Amino acid sequence: MSVSTTPAPARQPLPCGSWPSPVTVDLVAGKALSLSEVSADGAMVYWLERRPAEKGRTVLRRWQEDLGAQDVLPAVYDVGTRVHEYGGAPYAVGHGHVAFSEKKSGALWFFAKNTEAPLCLSHTDGLRYADLRFAPDASCLLAVREDHRTEGEAKAALVAFALTPTEKGVQAGPEQVLHMGPDFLAAPSVSPDGRYLAWIEWQHPNMPWDSTRLCGATLVRTPEGQISGLSNRHVLAGATHDESLIEPRWAADGTLQVVSDRTGSWTVWCIQPQEFEQCDVALTPAPVPEGEIGQPAWVFGQRSYQPLPEGGCVVLAVQDGTTRCQITDAAGAVTRFHAHPEQCPVRLDDGRFAWLEAPCDALPAVVVGTAQGGVAHVVQRAADLTLDRHDISKPETIRFPVDPDGPALGHAFFYAPANSRARVPEGEKPPMIVLVHGGPTARAQEGFSFKVQWWTSRGFAVLDVNYGGSTGFGRAWRNRLKGAWGVVDVADCIAAAQHMVNTGRVDPKRLAIRGSSAGGMTVLVALASSSLFAAGVSLYGVTDLRALAAETHKFEARYLDGLIGPWPEAESVYLERSPISVVAQIKAPVLMLQGLDDTVVPPNQAHSMAVALQKAGTSCTLHEFAGEGHGFRQESTLRRALAAELSFYGQVFGFTPAS
């Protein structure tokens, strides 16, 4: 997306909400691609591209400078995985090879270099694969396997498939289980010399941002050099106290690096090669910039830092809620990486980098460039369009008090209405939508987002809140939500909205609150707790915590133990905190949007809440979408959902949306 730099035209005063907007439903629902998971193999750049116009199918794409961009796989494949339901890292590349998981079937495929068709490695009902990684020499493919073939919780395992070169290409061996037993496994990574394997594991009731273990083992190989098992399995860190250890990566010199929050914020630590066969080693802090370097592992394959071949690394550090990309050399000197990456850039073999550029004033794009010069070549844009710079609202950092008796300050991004052809009429203040992110351990980020610009370009202000529990502000801020979900998050969102009212920048009578998943629960409880909001929108939101504890998938099966209390011992607290229990206190109209194939928050939760609200005399509209899970992917769904929500605000706030 390009941005016009023409002077601002004359803007007409129009009722907020009714402004004609260049951020159209065609753009948001149909034309804009969702880009993610950029990786590199030699001079080739790979990424995932979700296409709403193809019913949300995710495509693996590849770019080379002399060949341009192209699809890697035939159109029958939808790349993705449902491990942990949220997936992540459904493909891997290395030495010209490609491996990928097919989302609908769960099958695992291998596409050898210079071959015309992929080879199926596994296609067993009930098996799912994620976190795919090739060994450094491409002698095997590693994966996290989730086994749903028996009753009860799915079983996790680290598995490997041997890859042997032959005269006809590459022969793949049978699946080899390397390790199982822990409730959860992630991030298998082979050392550069092929001797060792490192990984992350954790147990119920912990989530990966609560307490994990960094483990290691020696790889056992056959006489032909293929991995056949593990020996000397041990815990490197995390055995004696709670800390969140994530993203283990090997540096070129054999040093193992890992992100840990043992000092209060996630940052990078090192284990020297000579210590790798020891237990509970003393980690050495890596010379990296200040700020929180790490993110909650809701999905596999996240990348907050990347070691460089010559030493040092590239990192994404969050400071005061804002992400900064920086690079350190072997001596620890820090320089700015001139980019706005969504994930840490990856190195090409010619010294350049590839990354997903996500600035606040332009759509995301897969790009290639340098640390000093920034973007040099745009590989793929999320959409081809031009917006006037006056149509784009940029984030403003807001700090607001969250404890009347203390110094603690909350964080939010505020977006004022922005439109090159319309303005707020004299004497009027704009309506405001408070955004509540999901998770609840996620983060409001400053990159360009349609969920913000759709509203600001129509005359709304938007406030995106990093309530207690959000990441990017250290472990203590995350732990504010421990045992207090439905209390701290609600209070922080109310405090943030009240702060904006007190500043006189928004209309106190036209405030709405909107959230998805965990954020949907916060929306409903906030409506019951405060008369500040005139409307609320819940997208696949939690309404009954007891049902969620009993019905949800394995990854989050014990999440509520930390957020609410141990289940079922704390059942009374679950009941008290559930939106379904405070229906009588909700007076503002509610819109609910729900996918009928949702396995994270089953659709009966939305249906029960809608019926209860209607019986209580509160206006509630429920839209259900067939073929949609936890998050909407299809163009038809996105169109209907956007139209329904805009119409809902029009009815509540008394404006007629532009056609």
Side-chain angles (χ1 to χ4, degrees), residues 279-291:
C279 293
D280 202 24
V281 300
L283 303 186
T284 303
V288 293
E290 294 183 358

Side-chain angles (χ1 to χ4, degrees), residues 243-265:
E243 64 180 304
S244 173
L245 293 142
I246 53 176
E247 299 190 41
R249 289 190 175 84
W250 297 91
D253 64 357
T255 299
L256 178 62
Q257 300 181 335
V258 68
V259 170
S260 170
D261 67 351
R262 58 174 50 192
T263 56
S265 291

Side-chain angles (χ1 to χ4, degrees), residues 282-302:
L283 303 186
T284 303
V288 293
E290 294 183 358
E292 177 130 86
I293 302 168
Q295 49 195 317
W298 280 102
V299 297
F300 294 99
Q302 296 189 135

Side-chain angles (χ1 to χ4, degrees), residues 467 481 484-495 521-523 525-527 529 533:
Y467 51 84
L481 208 60
W485 187 29
V487 178
V488 165
D489 51 322
V490 171
D492 286 0
C493 289
I494 293 172
M521 189 190 93
T522 303
V523 164
V525 178
L527 294 176
S529 304
F533 302 107

Side-chain angles (χ1 to χ4, degrees), residues 64 163 210 231 300 326 332 354 375 403 405 428 464 504 627 637 639:
Q64 281 183 274
L163 303 174
D210 294 327
S231 66
F300 294 99
Q326 296 169 295
V375 177
D403 182 359
D405 301 318
E428 184 179 338
D464 204 357
T637 301
R639 285 179 176 276

Side-chain angles (χ1 to χ4, degrees), residues 212-515:
T212 62
R213 298 185 294 269
L214 171 65
C215 298
T218 301
L219 288 167
V220 179
R221 295 181 180 269
T222 65
E224 294 76 27
Q226 299 299 335
I227 295 173
S228 61
L230 302 177
S231 66
N232 188 27
R233 214 167 46 233
H234 55 285
V235 178
L236 288 160
T240 57
H241 61 280
D242 288 342
E243 64 180 304
S244 173
L245 293 142
I246 53 176
E247 299 190 41
R249 289 190 175 84
W250 297 91
D253 64 357
T255 299
L256 178 62
Q257 300 181 335
V258 68
V259 170
S260 170
D261 67 351
R262 58 174 50 192
T263 56
S265 291
W266 278 315
T267 192
V268 184
W269 299 75
C270 297
I271 298 174
Q272 300 304 318
Q274 63 270 19
E275 298 181 292
F276 187 73
E277 294 188 10
Q278 302 174 24
C279 293
D280 202 24
V281 300
L283 303 186
T284 303
V288 293
E290 294 183 358
E292 177 130 86
I293 302 168
Q295 49 195 317
W298 280 102
V299 297
F300 294 99
Q302 296 189 135
R303 191 172 59 245
S304 303
Y305 75 104
Q306 187 70 29
L308 296 174
E310 64 274 17
C313 58
V314 186
V315 303
L316 294 184
V318 180
Q319 295 177 302
D320 198 26
T322 300
T323 304
R324 296 177 174 85
C325 188
Q326 296 169 295
I327 191 166
T328 64
D329 61 20
V334 178
T335 57
R336 179 187 172 193
F337 194 114
H338 292 266
H340 306 88
E342 191 169 278
Q343 278 200 317
C344 197
V346 291
R347 189 76 164 267
L348 303 180
D349 61 1
D350 62 5
R352 294 182 298 172
F353 292 87
W355 68 91
L356 180 60
E357 176 76 355
C360 67
D361 57 357
L363 264 66
V366 178
V367 302
V368 170
T370 64
Q372 299 77 23
V375 177
H377 182 80
V378 176
V379 172
Q380 177 67 63
R381 301 182 189 274
D384 292 322
L385 79 158
T386 299
L387 288 181
D388 190 288
R389 62 189 176 93
H390 302 287
D391 289 319
I392 300 174
S393 182
K394 296 182 180 181
E396 173 188 343
T397 295
I398 300 294
R399 304 310 299 258
F400 58 92
V402 296
D403 182 359
D405 301 318
L409 294 176
H411 177 277
F413 289 116
F414 178 74
Y415 298 82
N419 190 298
S420 60
R421 293 183 289 170
R423 62 178 174 84
V424 180
E426 293 293 334
E428 184 179 338
K429 295 176 182 176
M432 183 175 74
I433 300 173
V434 175
L435 297 185
V436 189
H437 65 68
T441 309
R443 180 168 70 91
Q445 301 189 47
E446 68 276 20
F448 184 97
S449 170
F450 278 126
K451 75 177 181 180
V452 171
Q453 304 298 331
W454 171 266
W455 302 113
T456 55
S457 63
R458 284 168 169 77
F460 290 86
V462 170
L463 187 68
D464 204 357
V465 184
N466 276 312
Y467 51 84
S470 303
T471 49
F473 304 89
R475 190 178 183 100
W477 188 259
R478 293 203 310 274
N479 285 348
R480 286 184 68 234
L481 208 60
K482 285 287 188 181
W485 187 29
V487 178
V488 165
D489 51 322
V490 171
D492 286 0
C493 289
I494 293 172
Q498 186 63 59
H499 176 77
M500 296 312 300
V501 169
N502 294 344
T503 64
R505 300 178 68 178
V506 297
D507 187 343
K509 296 182 179 180
R510 295 190 292 172
L511 302 183
I513 184 167
R514 176 190 197 273

